[in-house]
Amino acid sequence: MAEDNKEKKGILLETGTNEFEIVEFNIGDVNYGINVAKVREVITAAAFPVTSMPQAHPYIDGLFTLRGRAIPLVNLPRCLNVHGTDKPKNIIVTEINNYNIGFLVDNVSRIHRISWKEMEPTPEVGDQSRVVGIIKFDNEKIVLLLDFETIIAEINPEINQKLTTFTEAKEDIKELRSKEHIVVAEDSPMLRDLLVSTLHESGYNFIKANSNGQDAWDYLSALAKQDGEIKDHVSLIVSDIEMPKMDGHRLLKLVREDERLHDVPVILFSSLINEEMRRKGQELGANGQIAKPEINQLIGLMDKLIFNIDPKVEEQA
């Protein structure tokens, strides 16, 4: 599975299409999915003893060792409050937000390659904060795509702290920021609210937040049709990569191909900023790529791209 993942991610990197791949797994009778780009490998649970940790988060079973590294193990059935088998078979080892963590699941079945357009928003039937979308297949099977970033943020409060902690700017810098128009594309409701509120606190008051790349592109396309300089309508775009309907790479590609929008700075702000994804972002013309949850780095890069302000010089002033 690990070798298959590497091959698949390489193919995905080269295509430039609005497609992605998911690892399908199940807990009990329910089928779930995780983006292949987040998966390091899939291992057999029985082969890796787990050491309990005193006062660990309730979702954490303990630590297991993989190639000399101690990795936390999340009991995903307990986290989701669903019933699985008595002996879960697999651990999905992930790398998200530069954080390695394992997820205990009943069974990993296969990899699917699909278009982001095929992923539908989650119906509003209660608290669905851990599900970012649903994928329906021709055989009427439904796969729930989980929001692993939110799960990790619940376990590790440091992530939320980094999403809300930034260097306080001088009033003249805040005044400059207050006049700029920023477009944000982020599908996770929790992370989108944190990102927008933090940008507001930093002085960036005009934020148009979108829950997916398609909505962001529709908004940007409408701006491109308005009179005047495009920079008067949008100063910079901050986009996640993994989103329903249209991913961040596809959004970036469309922006660069548009006659009026192609010079607008675009920053990819995502948990998927690894070596391969970084190379693809560079090829598509990203002005910067920052791994969540480093909001302070994001704001510093925004200042640099919009105002040509070096964040290091600003901190020393």
Side-chain angles (χ1 to χ4, degrees):
M1 176 69 76
E3 293 180 359
D4 195 19
N5 283 352
K6 292 178 181 178
E7 179 183 349
K8 292 283 187 178
K9 285 190 278 187
I11 293 171
L12 178 61
L13 181 69
E14 296 167 1
T15 59
T17 65
N18 192 37
E19 294 179 314
F20 73 119
E21 291 156 323
I22 63 168
V23 174
E24 180 189 345
F25 62 93
N26 71 281
I27 300 175
D29 296 329
V30 182
N31 301 305
Y32 299 94
I34 178 173
N35 195 321
V36 167
K38 298 177 180 177
V39 179
R40 285 183 54 193
E41 57 189 296
V42 176
I43 58 178
T44 302
F48 294 85
V50 178
T51 301
S52 299
M53 292 179 61
Q55 298 181 323
H57 190 280
Y59 299 159
I60 300 291
D61 276 353
L63 298 174
F64 66 97
T65 302
L66 181 64
R67 298 187 184 87
R69 173 179 290 182
I71 297 177
L73 179 63
V74 175
N75 187 308
L76 199 54
R78 186 189 309 139
C79 169
L80 300 176
N81 194 27
V82 296
H83 295 289
T85 63
D86 293 335
K87 294 182 178 181
K89 179 181 177 183
N90 291 123
I91 296 173
I92 300 175
V93 184
T94 67
E95 183 177 358
I96 302 172
N97 297 326
N98 294 318
Y99 184 51
N100 292 311
I101 191 166
F103 291 90
L104 186 66
V105 303
D106 281 351
N107 183 61
V108 173
S109 53
R110 58 171 295 184
I111 292 175
H112 300 278
R113 185 182 180 103
I114 60 176
S115 168
W116 281 110
K117 293 181 180 179
E118 298 175 38
M119 190 173 109
E120 301 179 11
T122 308
E124 295 184 5
V125 290
D127 182 9
Q128 299 295 317
S129 61
R130 294 193 183 98
V131 179
V132 292
I134 63 173
I135 302 163
K136 294 186 290 187
F137 293 89
D138 292 338
N139 59 1
E140 297 186 354
K141 178 174 68 176
I142 292 178
V143 173
L144 305 179
L145 197 67
L146 291 178
D147 186 351
F148 284 88
E149 286 90 340
T150 295
I151 294 173
I152 293 174
E154 291 179 28
I155 296 169
N156 185 359
E158 182 183 348
I159 291 177
N160 285 351
Q161 290 177 347
K162 287 188 175 182
L163 265 172
T164 56
T165 304
F166 57 92
T167 302
E168 189 70 22
K170 294 184 177 181
E171 289 304 316
D172 58 338
I173 301 299
K174 286 188 175 181
E175 179 66 22
L176 289 174
R177 292 173 179 171
S178 69
K179 301 173 183 178
E180 304 302 320
H181 294 253
I182 310 299
V183 174
V184 167
E186 167 61 62
D187 66 315
S188 171
M190 183 197 75
L191 296 180
R192 185 172 62 249
D193 290 345
L194 283 174
L195 175 58
V196 171
S197 63
T198 304
L199 289 177
H200 281 162
E201 289 179 25
S202 74
Y204 281 106
N205 297 327
F206 294 101
I207 309 290
K208 172 58 178 177
N210 303 273
S211 61
N212 60 74
Q214 184 63 59
D215 288 352
W217 174 244
D218 292 342
Y219 177 73
L220 290 165
S221 298
L223 292 183
K225 296 176 183 177
Q226 297 185 17
D227 295 332
E229 295 287 334
I230 192 65
K231 64 181 180 181
D232 294 332
H233 304 300
V234 53
S235 306
L236 183 140
I237 302 163
V238 178
S239 178
D240 191 10
I241 293 178
E242 183 186 31
M243 294 180 290
K245 297 185 179 180
M246 181 186 294
D247 66 16
H249 283 150
R250 178 65 176 170
L251 174 62
L252 172 57
K253 187 174 187 291
L254 292 176
V255 168
R256 291 293 173 253
E257 290 175 348
D258 187 273
E259 183 178 353
R260 294 206 66 200
L261 296 168
H262 66 86
D263 288 332
V264 176
V266 179
I267 300 175
L268 296 177
F269 187 56
S270 170
S271 61
L272 297 181
I273 304 298
N274 54 35
E275 183 179 348
E276 293 184 2
M277 288 297 181
R278 188 176 295 278
R279 188 167 78 244
K280 180 170 184 179
Q282 290 171 346
E283 291 173 354
L284 292 171
N287 296 91
Q289 302 179 76
I290 296 176
K292 293 175 182 173
E294 303 295 340
I295 190 73
N296 203 43
Q297 292 182 27
L298 174 64
I299 294 172
L301 183 55
M302 290 170 65
D303 288 346
K304 184 176 181 180
L305 292 172
I306 298 174
F307 312 116
N308 197 29
I309 296 175
D310 188 333
K312 293 182 180 179
V313 173
E314 181 185 341
E315 290 175 8
Q316 294 172 0

